[in-house]
Amino acid sequence: FVRGPFMDANITATTITASADTGDTVTLTASADLFDAGHVKSLWRVKSGVVKITQVNSATEAVGNVQNEPTGVAGDLDTSGSPTAAWAEGSFSAYRGYPSACGFHEGRLWYAKDQSFYGSVAFAYDDFEIGSDDADAVVFEVASNEANVIRWINSGAKTLQVGTSGGTYSVFGGAGVPITATTINVQKDTNYGVAYI
């Protein structure tokens, strides 16, 4: 992946200080326990850039490589060595878990993990950068009365079909409109839980 997907942005007082804003073997130091050995190979957004964790030294220190921008330009965290609370942990890791299902629909690669599903940037299957354009990545969580893990996703003729442990859903953008971050509808079709496929 070149960008994300990421969990919600940090809202705590915990900060991360980077030893450098660019390059490889950048040390990230957290102001509180944050890192786990299961974070190795995960992506973290730190202010203006993304770091891929290569090593975890302790709960407050990790080492990683600043990733290039999707355009190929060298990445830059833009912290100037100052602590920043503007960070977000990657959604996928050995610590947080990995997707249980994936598939293609409307020019996007979709992943599902727990109750959330993630759509890539249109026709850029390794890019999960959230933005304001209709082609930017999409992240959505199925809202239901109970926690129902997504077990499969399928590209239907007109909808993205999502099967969970508590029922099936149809995901669509609207009449003749593809799914985007601002045009997304999730409709429950059945109350029958599904098996992993």
Side-chain angles (χ1 to χ4, degrees), residues 14-92:
T14 301
T15 61
I16 291 178
T17 305
S19 63
D21 283 337
T22 61
D24 296 338
T25 62
V26 172
T27 300
L28 302 178
T29 304
S31 62
D33 287 357
L34 188 62
F35 302 112
D36 181 271
H39 285 128
V40 172
K41 299 184 181 178
S42 68
L43 297 178
W44 287 63
R45 177 174 294 287
V46 179
K47 199 171 179 186
S48 300
V50 175
V51 177
K52 183 174 184 178
I53 302 296
T54 57
Q55 172 183 327
V56 173
N57 297 332
S58 71
T60 58
E61 185 178 281
V63 178
N65 302 330
V66 177
Q67 302 292 284
N68 288 341
E69 297 294 327
T71 60
V73 174
D76 187 344
L77 304 182
D78 195 30
T79 66
S80 301
S82 299
T84 180
W87 57 266
E89 180 182 344
S91 296
F92 306 153

